[in-house]
């Protein structure tokens, strides 16, 4: 049951991410005119970061508020795979990690969509989709009773995805910085 809903929800989120890129791409000229530095080569990265932050905030609110609604009433729900921790604590950590991932995924996907005819653009788009599915399916370890400390594995997987995503963003920003230095000199 979880696998079907995760498959559809990630696919819909990635389609919305692409649609948001198309929308922002059309508005980019207008956004550049009101930008503090309209000719900066980093404007698209800033727009992607801000878009990712909004996307992460929306995703976090939708994901965590539904859990908080369940918390109304007596008692505490413990995490099935980590019975020492409450489900609210594990979900708060997971929500925070997904917020970071959404920010970096938005930055990577915007780069990938703009570089899509090249192989490295398709690699970035593929990374976002595969890592989003990987992180989402890793959260099923939180509710698994057959995997001891599944919540720890889930958190470690999400942290590894964040680290690799940060590396991809850093390499991309570094190459953009070098390109802007060459153009100014």
């Amino acid at each position: 049951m979880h696998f079907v809903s995760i498959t559809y929800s990630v696919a819909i989120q990635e389609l919305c991410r692409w649609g948001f890129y198309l929308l922002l791409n059309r508005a980019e000229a207008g956004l550049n005119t009101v930008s503090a530095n309209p000719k900066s080569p980093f404007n698209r990265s800033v727009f992607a970061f801000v878009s990712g932050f909004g996307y992460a905030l929306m995703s976090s609110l939708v994901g965590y508020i539904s859990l908080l609604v369940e918390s109304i009433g007596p008692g505490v729900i413990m995490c099935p795979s980590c019975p020492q921790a409450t489900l609210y604590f594990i979900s708060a950590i997971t929500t925070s990690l997904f917020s970071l991932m959404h920010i970096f995924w938005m930055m990577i996907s915007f780069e990938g969509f703009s570089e899509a005819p090249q192989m490295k653009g398709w690699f970035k788009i593929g990374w976002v989709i595969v890592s989003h599915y990987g992180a989402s399916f890793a959260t099923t370890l939180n509710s698994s009773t057959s995997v001891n400390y599944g919540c720890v594995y889930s958190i470690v997987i999400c942290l590894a995805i964040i680290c690799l995503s940060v590396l991809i963003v850093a390499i991309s920003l570094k190459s953009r910085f070098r390109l802007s230095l060459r153009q100014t000199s």
Side-chain angles (χ1 to χ4, degrees), residues 56-183:
L57 181 65
M58 178 265 323
S59 176
S60 297
L61 288 174
V62 168
Y64 198 68
I65 286 180
S66 62
L67 182 68
L68 288 179
V69 169
E70 291 181 26
S71 71
I72 297 174
V76 174
I77 301 174
M78 301 308 281
C79 183
S81 67
C82 294
Q84 301 85 358
T86 66
L87 189 60
Y88 311 114
F89 178 70
I90 299 299
S91 293
I93 292 171
T94 303
T95 301
S96 299
L97 294 175
F98 265 87
S99 294
L100 289 172
M101 284 187 279
H102 277 300
I103 291 170
F104 294 118
W105 285 335
M106 192 68 84
M107 293 179 76
I108 294 168
S109 65
F110 274 32
E111 284 285 322
F113 292 140
S114 64
E115 300 170 349
Q118 300 170 358
M119 190 60 171
K120 66 180 179 178
W122 290 112
F123 168 75
K124 290 176 182 177
I125 294 168
W127 166 254
V128 170
I129 293 169
V130 168
S131 62
H132 194 167
Y133 273 114
S136 297
F137 282 121
T139 61
T140 60
L141 294 171
N142 293 340
S143 59
S144 174
T145 54
S146 62
V147 179
N148 289 334
Y149 301 106
C151 64
V152 175
Y153 296 131
S154 172
I155 291 169
V156 168
I157 290 169
C158 289
L159 285 172
I161 290 171
I162 289 172
C163 289
L164 289 172
S165 296
V166 166
L167 182 66
I168 293 169
V169 168
I171 290 169
S172 176
L173 288 175
K174 185 177 179 181
S175 67
R176 188 174 292 229
F177 181 71
R178 285 183 179 164
L179 183 64
S180 70
L181 284 178
R182 279 189 223 138
Q183 290 175 350

Side-chain angles (χ1 to χ4, degrees), residues 9-21:
S9 65
V10 170
I12 290 169
Q13 286 179 33
E14 293 306 325
L15 283 173
C16 288
R17 194 182 310 273
W18 178 65
F20 196 74
Y21 166 78

